[in-house]
Amino acid sequence: MKNITRFLIALMGILVISCTTSDVQDRPVIKGIDKPVLSAPNSGSAYVLLPATMTQQAERFVWTSANYGGNVVVTYTLQIDKVGGDFSKAEVIGGANNANQASVSQQALNVACLALGATPYAPANFIVRVQSSATGYAVMNSAAVPIAITPYTTATPHLWLPGSYQADSGYGSNWSQSSAPQLASTGYGNADFEGYINVASAQAAPNNGFKFSTQADWNGTNFGDDGSFSGALSASGSNIGLNAGYYKVNANTTTKTYSLTKTTWAIIGDATQGGWGTETPMTYNPTTKVWTVTAVLTKASIKFRANNGWDINFGDTGANGSLEYGGDNIAVAAGTYLITLDLSSPRNYTYSLVKQ
């Protein structure tokens, strides 16, 4: 009996020694036999993705089974990368277990394209593949299939206004989109842009001035004047010159038009000493990029307006500190106020009244 016990103890010791973690990790990974083959989409397929149909299928990806020489559970992963990429930074767009197809939505494809640096509403070239994996086996990849995709965005589009006016106007380095003021459209997919900029000194075209950039660098479309100086944009146009002043800037990249309206700002209303007949001017601060005035007000209301007229005026519909063109009169209590008008964030205009 003692000999049997000694034998069992010795055998257990041998098993423990022969099955260490390092031994398991050092075992060679078995290679598969046949790689999967992606049969859909076809090479050269093109997709235009849209917000309105984002939940719909963009494509049903189909592939042949990978062969690992036995009955194993195979996981398939669909990957996408930019043309020229090696899939080391690929995005995953779908997959399946022990299946030969997977539906990929427009939204999934769109998210991946934007993550890979694609520009919304501009066609770009990509490559897709299917990768197979099974426990204990090396992964296998299908051949890459080239496709073209036009992605979308639900973010509000912007234009950047780089130019020679930036340095002395409080916007960082000249001709630098990263610090340039911006215009915003009314929503994604819309091309009607608006914003306000300060120009400290006159900028004479063609050597000086500014341009409208569709990206925060020079790699997008950079609109200038078409040469007629009649408010027409051209992707190959010259710099747009302008005199010193604070401007309301509008542009439309569909109609290829722009306008520059020089403005000065004031408050007016029955709460001011001048009533609704005489406005109280405000002063622009290029450092804080806001208009301010300190005024004694009675219990009544005010509005903000430009150029001593009503063509451009702001009120507050909803009394929430957000301004709307032609909005409701702003009710105030009696007192002395520091009044601030902030037009520096395009289409997100605000104000404040701080009692002194």
Side-chain angles (χ1 to χ4, degrees), residues 160-165 175 197 203 208-212 223-225 238-242 249 258 260:
W160 287 257
L161 274 58
S164 59
Y165 69 96
W175 298 106
I197 66 170
Q203 306 296 313
N208 295 308
F210 75 96
K211 285 195 170 183
F212 297 93
F223 292 101
D225 192 275
S238 63
N239 295 336
I240 300 169
L242 68 178
V249 184
Y258 73 94
L260 305 171

Side-chain angles (χ1 to χ4, degrees), residues 128-218:
V128 291
R129 75 179 184 185
V130 60
Q131 182 179 88
S132 64
S133 61
T135 302
Y137 292 84
V139 300
M140 295 192 293
N141 300 305
S142 72
V145 175
I147 61 175
I149 303 173
T150 302
Y152 65 84
T153 180
T154 55
T156 299
H158 285 71
L159 290 177
W160 287 257
L161 274 58
S164 59
Y165 69 96
Q166 288 181 243
D168 66 352
S169 302
Y171 298 115
S173 302
N174 287 342
W175 298 106
S176 174
Q177 283 92 346
S178 62
S179 57
Q182 300 176 34
L183 309 183
S185 81
T186 50
Y188 68 82
N190 297 336
D192 53 342
F193 296 88
E194 180 189 287
Y196 288 82
I197 66 170
N198 176 54
V199 179
S201 58
Q203 306 296 313
N207 294 328
N208 295 308
F210 75 96
K211 285 195 170 183
F212 297 93
S213 295
T214 59
Q215 294 181 202
D217 52 40
W218 293 105

Side-chain angles (χ1 to χ4, degrees), residues 19-63:
C19 296
T20 63
T21 303
S22 60
D23 287 338
V24 173
Q25 291 176 340
D26 291 338
R27 288 178 181 174
V29 177
I30 304 171
K31 292 184 178 181
I33 300 173
D34 297 314
K35 299 177 181 179
V37 176
L38 196 60
S39 57
N42 295 322
S43 176
S45 295
Y47 307 88
V48 178
L49 311 179
L50 298 170
T53 54
M54 66 172 68
T55 60
Q56 296 181 14
Q57 175 180 284
E59 178 64 86
R60 182 170 295 279
F61 283 68
V62 181
W63 56 88

Side-chain angles (χ1 to χ4, degrees), residues 5-344:
T5 302
R6 290 171 183 168
F7 173 77
L8 290 174
I9 293 172
L11 179 61
M12 289 175 65
I14 293 171
L15 291 173
V16 170
I17 294 172
S18 63
C19 296
T20 63
T21 303
S22 60
D23 287 338
V24 173
Q25 291 176 340
D26 291 338
R27 288 178 181 174
V29 177
I30 304 171
K31 292 184 178 181
I33 300 173
D34 297 314
K35 299 177 181 179
V37 176
L38 196 60
S39 57
N42 295 322
S43 176
S45 295
Y47 307 88
V48 178
L49 311 179
L50 298 170
T53 54
M54 66 172 68
T55 60
Q56 296 181 14
Q57 175 180 284
E59 178 64 86
R60 182 170 295 279
F61 283 68
V62 181
W63 56 88
T64 61
S65 297
N67 181 7
Y68 285 94
N71 186 19
V72 297
V73 176
V74 182
T75 298
Y76 297 98
T77 303
L78 296 170
Q79 299 175 321
I80 184 170
D81 200 357
K82 296 181 291 186
V83 164
D86 60 2
F87 289 96
S88 60
K89 297 181 179 179
E91 293 291 318
V92 174
I93 54 176
N97 291 330
N98 274 4
N100 297 91
Q101 58 180 288
S103 176
V104 177
S105 70
Q106 291 192 31
Q107 186 175 30
L109 208 53
N110 191 71
V111 170
C113 291
L114 296 181
L116 291 169
T119 300
Y121 305 106
N125 295 316
F126 297 89
I127 48 177
V128 291
R129 75 179 184 185
V130 60
Q131 182 179 88
S132 64
S133 61
T135 302
Y137 292 84
V139 300
M140 295 192 293
N141 300 305
S142 72
V145 175
I147 61 175
I149 303 173
T150 302
Y152 65 84
T153 180
T154 55
T156 299
H158 285 71
L159 290 177
W160 287 257
L161 274 58
S164 59
Y165 69 96
Q166 288 181 243
D168 66 352
S169 302
Y171 298 115
S173 302
N174 287 342
W175 298 106
S176 174
Q177 283 92 346
S178 62
S179 57
Q182 300 176 34
L183 309 183
S185 81
T186 50
Y188 68 82
N190 297 336
D192 53 342
F193 296 88
E194 180 189 287
Y196 288 82
I197 66 170
N198 176 54
V199 179
S201 58
Q203 306 296 313
N207 294 328
N208 295 308
F210 75 96
K211 285 195 170 183
F212 297 93
S213 295
T214 59
Q215 294 181 202
D217 52 40
W218 293 105
N219 297 323
T221 302
N222 301 289
F223 292 101
D225 192 275
D226 71 346
S228 66
F229 297 101
S230 61
L233 291 174
S234 169
S236 59
S238 63
N239 295 336
I240 300 169
L242 68 178
N243 293 320
Y246 190 83
Y247 288 87
K248 176 178 180 284
V249 184
N250 292 88
N252 191 303
T253 54
T254 297
T255 61
K256 303 295 191 299
T257 57
Y258 73 94
S259 65
L260 305 171
T261 305
K262 187 184 287 188
T263 64
T264 57
W265 288 86
I267 60 170
I268 193 169
D270 51 4
T272 70
Q273 294 180 356
W276 290 107
T278 303
E279 63 183 26
T280 303
M282 305 183 78
T283 301
Y284 181 72
N285 186 323
T287 301
T288 59
K289 298 179 177 59
V290 297
W291 292 82
T292 62
V293 65
T294 300
V296 178
L297 304 178
T298 61
K299 183 180 179 180
S301 60
I302 65 169
K303 294 193 83 172
F304 297 94
R305 72 176 190 177
N307 302 338
N308 200 28
W310 291 106
D311 289 345
I312 306 175
N313 76 89
F314 284 115
D316 183 1
T317 302
N320 58 3
S322 179
L323 293 169
E324 295 83 29
Y325 285 109
D328 292 345
N329 295 345
I330 301 166
V332 297
T336 300
Y337 292 87
L338 172 62
I339 305 170
T340 300
L341 172 66
D342 188 351
L343 305 178
S344 63

